[in-house]
Structure formats: structure tokens, C-alpha cells
């Protein structure tokens, strides 16, 4: 995969399941909120969903109601080859959703991976050995380090959440450059598949202006669904529940239900 003699070879990615990465190097844009709630809503639709928590902060893990006491093996063990991906699978309470959890130990993987052969393709090779899932959703850290590169190499779909606030597009340019580099050398299938507007506040002119600019720049790549700024959506992670279970009548729950249906129609039709 890596070639020799300094040569680079283009790797064709042929995933056994849809692998959707949620990434933006800017923090606080709703990556984990989207990963947790999109997975839960797709599970409700009848899909078998694998969630891969690539962030050492492990917010996706806790957002699904999983604590470190609930598991022995994590993505860290899988990345370093100390466990098979199937050994780290953890059922959740939510219909159709299985997790490969994260811990703070994963922060060390950035350094440890740097010395390994084929380091950029570790995640792809690990999770492509799994079967029984319609799709995987990969939650990335707010950086463009080796963990995020692994997620991009493994993916055939990429969602970029963009918050409807000042400096909304900050960081998207650098992410786009990284995507181009990964596409050229490691994953020819990689492209931005969807841009998701988050934290939209209909009471402010700014949210509308940001939404218009994002749609102008990304056109049909912008999802029709917009995620609102919603108190209940902010509360749900502290209870370890996706919003669709915590408060199914809330505006946030309705938005992620709509997003799941949009993703299903666009990318997963016939997957079950």
C-alpha cells in the first residue's frame, strides 16, 4: 500500500459498508452531536450502525451512555494491533447502534502511529474486517493529525458540520486541502459528500447570512436539513442519551430525524 523506494501508489478504497466520517478541524461545530444523533436516528430507521469514536476526548462514547467502566478494549487497542476490531465492539442501549469506544489513551496513538508502516491506513484495514453493519459513522477530533487522516483514508463519505456563527468557514479551507492530498495519494474515492449547517438561530440575521454563504459556496452539497440551536439538544449528552431518546418532541430531535432520512435517501437506499 505504501510502495517502496519513495514511490507512492494510489489506493482504491472498496469498503464493505458505507463509512461516513464527520470532520471539521474547528472545534465546537457539532461533530460529536451529529455523530451520536445521526447514528441513533439511522438505527431507528432499521440500519445497523457502527459508531467509531476517533476523538481521545471520548465525547461520542459518553454521549451514547458508555463510561470507561463499561469496557476493557477501545479503539486505542485496535489501532495498535493489540485487539481485533470485533473484540472492541460494544452494544449500546440504542436501537441498531454499536460502538467502538475511545479513551484518553488514544491521544498517544498520534505519536505511536507516526512510526508505524502503513500508518495512514490502520483504521481502514481494521474496520473493513467487520461485517454485519450497513454503515459506520466516524467521529473525528478537532484537528488534522494522524487520527483524522486515518478516518479520511477509511471513508467513502464525508460530512462537514459548519456552525451558523462568526468565522463559520474558518478551517474548512485547510480541511479541503488535506482532503485533496488524501484523495491524490491514499483514497481516490474521498470527496466532501455533505455540508451540515448547525447551531442555526432563526432569530438572528447572522445565522441566515452564514447559511446563505455556505449554500453559495457548497451548492447542492449542503443538506436541506438545518440543525437548530436547541437547549434540549445541548442537555442530552450530559444524560448519555441521543436527543431522539432524551426528548423526541424537541426541535433538535426532529432535525436529526430529518437528517437521517436525507442521508438514507441520498446514500443508503437499498443498503438494508
Amino acid at each position: 500500500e505504501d510502495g517502496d523506494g519513495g514511490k507512492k501508489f494510489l489506493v482504491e478504497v472498496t469498503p464493505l459498508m458505507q463509512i461516513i466520517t464527520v470532520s471539521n478541524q474547528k472545534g465546537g461545530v457539532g461533530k460529536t452531536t451529529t455523530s451520536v444523533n445521526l447514528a441513533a436516528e439511522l438505527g431507528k430507521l432499521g440500519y445497523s450502525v457502527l459508531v467509531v469514536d476517533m476523538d481521545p476526548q471520548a465525547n461520542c462514547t459518553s454521549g451514547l451512555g458508555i463510561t470507561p467502566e463499561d469496557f476493557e478494549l477501545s479503539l486505542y487497542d485496535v489501532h495498535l494491533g493489540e485487539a481485533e476490531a470485533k473484540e472492541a465492539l460494544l452494544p449500546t442501549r440504542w436501537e441498531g447502534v454499536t460502538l467502538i469506544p475511545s479513551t484518553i489513551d488514544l491521544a498517544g496513538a498520534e505519536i505511536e502511529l507516526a512510526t508505524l508502516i502503513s500508518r495512514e491506513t490502520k483504521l481502514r484495514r481494521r474496520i473493513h474486517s467487520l461485517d454485519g453493519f450497513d454503515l459506520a459513522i466516524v467521529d473525528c477530533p478537532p484537528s488534522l493529525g494522524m487520527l483524522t487522516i486515518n478516518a479520511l483514508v477509511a471513508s467513502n463519505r464525508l460530512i462537514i458540520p459548519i456552525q451558523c456563527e462568526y468565522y463559520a468557514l474558518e478551517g474548512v479551507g485547510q480541511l479541503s486541502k488535506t482532503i485533496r492530498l488524501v484523495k491524490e495519494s491514499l483514497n481516490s474515492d474521498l470527496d466532501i459528500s455533505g455540508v451540515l449547517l448547525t447551531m442555526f438561530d432563526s432569530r438572528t440575521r447572522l445565522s441566515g447570512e452564514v447559511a446563505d454563504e455556505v449554500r453559495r459556496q457548497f451548492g447542492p452539497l449542503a443538506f436541506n436539513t438545518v440543525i437548530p440551536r436547541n437547549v434540549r439538544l445541548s442537555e442530552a449528552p450530559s444524560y448519555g442519551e441521543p436527543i431522539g431518546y432524551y426528548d423526541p418532541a424537541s426541535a433538535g430531535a426532529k432535525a436529526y430525524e430529518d437528517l437521517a432520512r436525507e442521508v438514507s435517501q441520498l446514500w443508503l437506499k437499498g443498503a438494508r
Side-chain angles (χ1 to χ4, degrees):
E1 292 179 351
D2 292 327
D4 49 23
K7 296 179 182 179
K8 291 183 178 179
F9 294 89
L10 192 64
V11 176
E12 295 294 334
V13 176
T14 55
L16 300 178
M17 58 181 162
Q18 291 276 359
I19 301 176
I20 302 172
T21 286
V22 182
S23 181
N24 186 332
Q25 73 178 86
K26 190 172 176 357
V29 300
K31 292 187 297 296
T32 298
T33 298
T34 294
S35 298
V36 167
N37 292 300
L38 177 58
E41 292 303 324
L42 286 170
K44 285 184 178 181
L45 291 179
Y47 293 101
S48 180
V49 185
L50 171 65
V51 177
V52 181
D53 191 350
M54 288 286 287
D55 191 343
Q57 297 178 79
N59 290 332
C60 191
T61 297
S62 62
L64 287 168
I66 303 298
T67 67
E69 293 75 28
D70 296 327
F71 58 90
E72 294 182 3
L73 297 174
S74 71
L75 187 62
Y76 175 77
D77 303 292
V78 175
H79 256 311
L80 296 184
E82 296 175 1
E84 296 293 328
K86 64 182 179 182
E87 297 177 291
L89 295 177
L90 196 65
T92 73
R93 291 183 288 153
W94 322 116
E95 183 181 355
V97 179
T98 301
L99 172 70
I100 297 181
S102 177
T103 67
I104 191 62
D105 291 339
L106 192 60
E110 289 277 7
I111 298 171
E112 295 173 69
L113 283 170
T115 63
L116 300 178
I117 296 172
S118 303
R119 57 189 178 273
E120 300 93 347
T121 61
K122 292 291 183 185
L123 179 67
R124 185 185 66 197
R125 286 182 282 118
R126 299 293 189 248
I127 66 175
H128 283 190
S129 67
L130 298 172
D131 55 24
F133 297 100
D134 295 313
L135 70 146
I137 295 178
V138 184
D139 183 40
C140 287
S143 68
L144 292 178
M146 190 54 63
L147 293 174
T148 297
I149 297 298
N150 261 261
L152 295 177
V153 171
S155 303
N156 60 329
R157 299 288 182 186
L158 173 62
I159 294 176
I160 301 178
I162 297 179
Q163 84 283 30
C164 296
E165 297 177 351
Y166 283 117
Y167 307 120
L169 296 171
E170 186 182 75
V172 175
Q174 183 59 43
L175 176 59
S176 297
K177 181 179 177 181
T178 301
I179 291 166
R180 286 196 299 272
L181 292 172
V182 171
K183 183 180 178 72
E184 289 171 5
S185 59
L186 293 163
N187 179 0
S188 61
D189 290 342
L190 183 65
D191 280 304
I192 298 173
S193 307
V195 175
L196 178 65
L197 289 159
T198 63
M199 304 180 194
F200 183 85
D201 189 341
S202 60
R203 300 168 300 179
T204 68
R205 182 193 301 176
L206 176 62
S207 281
E209 291 174 350
V210 170
D212 290 344
E213 177 61 19
V214 168
R215 294 193 185 283
R216 185 188 70 80
Q217 286 200 32
F218 291 96
L221 292 178
F223 287 107
N224 293 325
T225 303
V226 174
I227 308 301
R229 185 175 289 281
N230 180 248
V231 172
R232 302 296 276 173
L233 193 54
S234 301
E235 291 175 351
S238 64
Y239 292 89
E241 297 186 7
I243 187 62
Y245 290 87
Y246 177 68
D247 187 353
S250 67
K254 177 63 166 63
Y256 277 109
E257 180 183 347
D258 290 345
L259 178 63
R261 294 190 181 282
E262 194 170 350
V263 166
S264 175
Q265 291 169 4
L266 288 171
W267 305 337
L268 302 172
K269 201 167 184 179
R272 285 174 294 176

